């Protein structure tokens, strides 16, 4: 801490020179002997001067000099520790990539490796309440299940739907999964953690882990045992080889150790208690603190603490003959005049020091979003507070007061919360007209279009079901307009919107989504 001590604005320390200079000049002006010693002989001057008895050593000039010294140090900004800037989340985002290879149905971990992995995810969610978590699934292909969301119930819903049967491509491609997760987290403002829950990382993926240069921390939790166990099939039986014997899948512990040695990934194996979960959560926060300290933090200005001694020194100016007392009475009258109640007086007191937008931001940072909506004068900030308070239509009205790219972008986010995909698409397009190269708006536009396509497809399927048509297989409309998978940037709640409004089973939705993505990725 001592080694980190410095001043944010050191040039203000030059004001310290004014303190001794002021004391010297005032002392010279009050020294009658020095003023006359050049004109009157010293032996006569001693008899002509009348010295004041009990001369005070503590004078107003000394208080003024002390105020200059303390104020100069305060304005120079002493600091020795860092702080995160406002509006940065207190907890790190977490992206969990779950291996859905068929071997994850091995029973060496009860009830199966996959089910135990799901239970571990639930434990992580309970320890990280309010934090944002994203889900990914991978086998021979990699797919986003759910973007970053702080809605634990939504995460649990789609977590329960994960199974090897929904994966369109067999095999295991952990390197592809790392690439997909990193792409989804590319626009995050804070570093996060990527956690792989798998029964093994193929050695072909080691190079991708060793060359990883992203800002997100990598962690791998091995699910399984070295002894292995039989693998369950979808029909409840067990996977067998050509001889009819049960196929046993073993956790390659040596490969996990080799991965840890070859890369910066932190590797651990599953434990029967919650020791592994607590280790994961602890490492997530440690990695987050280390990463934010590298560039996302700022130095905490401790100069404001010196306002206390400044106020103490200021009390001396109320001594008789040192200042005009009526100033304090004017301040009291201005503060308490009128017949309003005490609460109104408190509001007037804040108005003396903070603008409405500053008061709104103060409430916003404290999580009082309804209170912030009443304070903000800036329509963009008021809209942000209304958005956080869940008043999406009012937020749209506030954002609409300005004609900027950010205004249309925020309107699109709020419209997605209301399920108005067509209007949201129009808003995102207006934002892109004003900022053509805005990646967040492009991502949100693609997600809104995906949502509209999926919803139209759902309505079409419902109409077919009502007409008694039972299609034998899934048909892909290659001629129709295709969207691209994207992550909505901005408010994390918006990212969940398109999944919330599709009223089909999560497993069926994911299977269809993964199949479309795999088909589009095929050259």
């Amino acid at each position: 801490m001592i080694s980190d001590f410095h001043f944010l604005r050191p040039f203000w320390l030059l004001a310290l020179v004014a303190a001794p200079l002021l004391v010297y000049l005032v002392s010279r002006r009050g020294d009658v002997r020095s003023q006359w010693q050049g004109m009157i002989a010293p032996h006569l001057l001693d008899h002509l001067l009348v010295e004041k008895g009990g001369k005070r050593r503590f004078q107003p000039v000394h208080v003024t000099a002390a105020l200059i010294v303390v104020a100069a140090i305060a304005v120079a900004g002493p600091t020795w520790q860092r702080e995160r800037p406002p509006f940065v989340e207190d907890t790190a985002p977490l992206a969990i990539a779950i291996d859905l290879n068929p071997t994850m149905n091995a029973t060496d971990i009860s009830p199966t490796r996959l089910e135990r992995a799901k239970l571990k995810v639930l434990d992580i969610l309970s320890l990280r309440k309010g934090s944002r978590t994203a889900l990914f699934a991978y086998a021979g292909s990699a797919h986003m299940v759910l973007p970053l969301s702080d809605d634990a119930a939504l995460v649990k819903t789609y977590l329960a739907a994960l199974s090897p049967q929904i994966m369109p491509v067999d095999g295991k491609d952990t390197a592809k999964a790392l690439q997909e997760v990193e792409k989804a987290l590319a626009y995050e403002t804070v570093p996060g953690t990527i956690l792989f829950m798998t029964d093994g990382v193929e050695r072909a993926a080691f190079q991708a882990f060793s060359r990883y240069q992203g800002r997100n921390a990598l962690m791998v939790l091995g699910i399984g045992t070295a002894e292995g166990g039989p693998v369950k099939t979808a029909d409840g039986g067990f996977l067998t080889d050509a001889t009819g014997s049960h196929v046993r899948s073993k956790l390659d512990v040596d490969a996990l150790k080799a991965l840890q040695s070859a890369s910066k990934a932190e590797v651990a194996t599953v434990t029967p208690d919650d020791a592994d979960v607590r280790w994961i959560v602890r490492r997530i926060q440690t990695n987050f603190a280390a990463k934010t300290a590298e560039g996302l933090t700022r130095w905490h200005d401790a100069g404001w603490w010196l306002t206390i001694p400044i106020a103490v020194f200021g009390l001396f100016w109320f001594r008789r003959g040192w200042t005009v007392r009526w100033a304090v009475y004017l301040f009291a009258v201005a503060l308490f005049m009128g017949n309003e109640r005490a609460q109104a007086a408190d509001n007037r007191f804040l108005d003396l020091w903070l603008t409405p937008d500053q008061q709104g931001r103060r409430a916003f940072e404290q999580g009082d979003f309804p209170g912030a909506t009443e304070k903000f004068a800036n329509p963009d900030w008021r809209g942000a507070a209304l958005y956080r308070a869940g008043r999406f239509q009012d937020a749209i009205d506030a954002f609409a007061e300005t004609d900027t790219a950010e205004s249309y972008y925020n309107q699109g986010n709020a419209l997605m919360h209301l399920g108005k995909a067509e209007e949201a698409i129009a808003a995102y397009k207006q934002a892109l007209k004003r900022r053509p190269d805005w990646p967040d708006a492009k991502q949100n536009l693609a997600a809104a279009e995906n949502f509209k396509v999926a919803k139209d497809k759902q309505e079409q399927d419902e109409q077919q079901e009502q007409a008694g048509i039972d299609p034998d297989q899934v048909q892909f409309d290659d001629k129709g307009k295709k969207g691209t998978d994207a992550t909505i940037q901005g408010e994390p709640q918006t990212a969940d919107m398109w999944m919330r409004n599709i009223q089909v089973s999560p497993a069926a939705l994911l299977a269809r989504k993964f199949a479309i993505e795999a088909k589009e990725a095929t050259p």
Side-chain angles (χ1 to χ4, degrees), residues 178-415:
L178 175 59
Q179 179 183 350
E180 289 297 318
V181 177
E182 180 65 17
K183 183 172 64 175
L185 299 180
Y187 298 104
E188 283 298 304
T189 57
V190 294
T193 297
I194 302 174
L195 171 63
F196 289 88
M197 306 186 81
T198 176
D199 60 0
V201 178
E202 68 279 17
R203 293 184 181 270
F206 282 18
Q207 187 175 10
F209 277 77
S210 62
R211 291 184 176 182
Y212 178 75
Q213 298 295 329
R215 59 177 181 166
N216 301 300
L218 300 180
M219 300 182 70
V220 177
L221 181 65
I223 311 291
T225 63
E227 296 77 16
V231 179
K232 277 188 174 182
T233 58
D235 58 4
F238 289 93
L239 188 65
T240 58
D241 57 18
T243 64
S245 301
H246 288 171
V247 175
R248 297 183 66 86
S249 174
K250 298 180 180 181
L251 177 66
D252 192 345
V253 179
D254 293 335
L256 292 178
K257 292 180 179 178
L259 174 64
Q260 187 170 24
S261 301
S263 67
K264 296 181 180 179
E266 299 179 89
V267 180
T269 54
V270 68
T271 62
D273 55 12
D274 63 349
D276 50 357
V277 172
R278 295 190 177 278
W279 174 78
I280 290 171
V281 174
R282 186 167 57 251
R283 295 307 301 167
I284 290 172
Q285 287 304 113
T286 301
N287 294 331
F288 175 67
K291 291 289 185 179
T292 52
E294 294 176 2
L296 289 178
T297 56
R298 62 183 182 181
W299 289 102
H300 174 67
D301 190 345
W304 70 274
W305 283 102
L306 295 177
T307 57
I308 297 175
I310 289 175
V312 173
F313 284 126
L315 294 175
F316 287 98
W317 287 97
F318 292 91
R319 295 183 61 184
R320 182 183 299 276
W322 283 32
T323 189
V324 181
R325 290 187 176 183
W326 52 264
V328 68
Y329 299 126
L330 274 181
F331 178 79
V333 171
L335 184 62
F336 296 107
M337 66 182 302
N339 298 322
E340 289 80 4
R341 294 179 298 179
Q343 183 178 0
D346 293 339
N347 293 334
R348 285 196 303 273
F349 180 78
L350 288 176
D351 292 339
L352 291 173
W353 309 103
L354 300 175
T355 66
D357 286 336
Q358 289 173 334
Q359 295 179 44
R361 177 170 174 173
R362 182 169 175 264
F364 193 100
E365 291 177 341
Q366 294 175 350
D368 181 14
F369 303 122
T373 62
E374 304 297 330
K375 297 293 185 181
F376 277 124
N378 184 290
D380 293 329
W381 279 112
R382 188 169 69 255
L386 289 166
Y387 187 100
R388 290 291 188 92
R391 296 166 55 184
F392 300 114
Q393 186 58 55
D394 292 335
I396 294 171
D397 296 337
F399 290 135
E401 294 181 22
T402 58
D403 184 19
T404 63
E406 291 76 10
S407 170
Y408 284 106
Y409 172 80
N410 291 329
Q411 290 180 58
N413 290 348
L415 286 165

Side-chain angles (χ1 to χ4, degrees), residues 109-120:
I109 300 291
S110 178
T112 65
R113 294 174 180 177
L114 180 57
E115 293 304 317
R116 178 61 64 89
K118 293 179 180 180
L119 293 174
K120 294 296 181 182

Side-chain angles (χ1 to χ4, degrees), residues 6-85:
H6 64 282
F7 290 95
L8 299 175
R9 299 170 291 275
F11 288 108
W12 279 100
L13 295 177
L14 295 175
L16 295 174
V17 179
L21 181 61
L22 177 65
V23 173
Y24 172 75
L25 292 177
V26 173
S27 299
R28 288 276 299 176
R29 187 183 63 180
D31 189 356
V32 179
R33 179 179 293 278
S34 62
Q35 296 175 5
W36 290 99
Q37 64 183 0
M39 293 177 285
I40 301 176
H43 66 282
L44 296 176
L45 187 59
D46 292 337
H47 298 284
L48 293 175
L49 291 177
V50 178
E51 299 286 353
K52 295 182 179 179
K55 185 177 181 180
R56 293 181 300 177
R57 296 182 179 179
F58 185 69
Q59 300 179 1
V61 66
H62 298 128
V63 176
T64 303
L67 281 172
I68 292 175
V69 170
V70 177
I73 295 175
V75 177
T79 183
W80 57 87
Q81 61 183 359
R82 290 182 176 271
E83 66 175 6
R84 285 192 299 275

